[in-house]
Amino acid sequence: MDGVQNRNTRSDWYDLLHPRMSSIFTRDKNLHNERRKMWEQPLSTKSLQQYHRRVIEKVHTLENFISAEDSKPVLVNDLMYFFAFDSMGDFAFSEDFGMMRTKQWHTSIAMLRSALTLLGPFSPAIWIPRLAFAFIPGVWKEVLSDRDIASWFIEDHEKHESDPTWARWLSGDTATLVVAGSNTTRRLDD
């Protein structure tokens, strides 16, 4: 169904972030293909090598987390979420949420998980979460010495800031990036 020859049209569920726009949530194939190009730089081999160092640091933190538990049972589901979101926060936003170190949910991630939990029951009435998402504030700019994925999106937005469409791409693709982090952990749970 997701193959290249697919002629299906996505349902209005994919308008979830509207008026924000996202590479994943757009229903227009031409827009999807055009915006997909923006993801090529932050996910290039060169960029992935830079993120690799960051992920290795998180793997060491993960090892320390498990070692500190000695012979006590470890809640793997929570641990994998901590690992995935600490990693995603670091290479996507240059912010380590520190959940593996503190063994606690970061406030932002706890709120995201609550929102995603509510999304399921509201999927048949997609207008309800769309209305709620319309009130989420935008992304702020932060100058960093080491590039993260969000910096590519912000740079692209600044190049096109005279076009109001690009502001919707920025917030939509940022939301996609965060949701992608949560999907990674879901696959680990399965």
Side-chain angles (χ1 to χ4, degrees):
M1 290 185 72
D2 288 335
V4 178
Q5 302 301 321
N6 177 10
R7 301 268 185 249
N8 295 336
T9 303
R10 289 180 163 185
S11 74
D12 60 350
W13 189 93
Y14 285 89
D15 289 336
L16 176 66
L17 298 177
H18 186 78
R20 294 171 181 86
M21 296 165 50
S22 165
S23 303
I24 300 301
F25 284 97
T26 185
R27 297 169 64 199
D28 182 318
K29 286 185 179 189
N30 292 329
L31 283 175
H32 170 78
N33 290 336
E34 178 63 31
R35 191 59 189 173
R36 200 173 85 187
K37 294 174 187 172
M38 180 57 230
W39 285 80
E40 290 174 2
Q41 287 179 308
L43 297 178
S44 70
T45 302
K46 182 180 177 183
S47 294
L48 290 175
Q49 289 171 347
Q50 177 188 6
Y51 311 144
H52 182 261
R53 173 188 52 81
R54 295 175 179 188
V55 173
I56 292 299
E57 290 173 10
K58 296 294 177 277
V59 169
H60 291 305
T61 305
L62 178 65
E63 289 173 336
N64 293 336
F65 182 104
I66 294 169
S67 294
E69 295 301 311
D70 199 23
S71 62
K72 292 183 277 183
V74 175
L75 295 174
V76 175
N77 287 356
D78 286 353
L79 178 58
M80 291 295 99
Y81 273 110
F82 292 172
F83 173 77
F85 278 114
D86 280 354
S87 298
M88 181 273 302
D90 191 6
F91 63 78
F93 302 109
S94 292
E95 180 176 338
D96 179 0
F97 296 127
M99 295 188 300
M100 285 190 292
R101 280 192 319 277
T102 64
K103 300 179 183 178
Q104 294 181 349
W105 292 98
H106 186 275
T107 307
S108 299
I109 301 303
M111 289 188 322
L112 170 70
R113 292 187 74 215
S114 296
L116 290 174
T117 301
L118 290 173
L119 183 58
F122 287 114
S123 283
I126 203 63
W127 63 270
I128 296 171
R130 280 184 56 193
L131 183 63
F133 287 149
F135 295 102
I136 295 175
V139 178
W140 60 91
K141 182 178 179 181
E142 189 175 339
V143 178
L144 305 165
S145 59
D146 204 6
R147 286 197 85 159
D148 52 34
I149 294 174
S151 70
W152 293 97
F153 298 151
I154 294 167
E155 181 180 291
D156 181 64
H157 168 71
E158 289 172 344
K159 286 179 186 173
H160 301 94
E161 63 187 340
S162 62
D163 182 346
T165 302
W166 251 257
R168 298 193 317 249
W169 279 116
L170 176 62
S171 61
D173 278 341
T174 301
T176 297
L177 185 59
V178 172
V179 171
S182 70
N183 282 338
T184 301
T185 57
R186 254 187 243 129
R187 280 190 222 121
L188 291 171
D189 284 347
D190 291 339

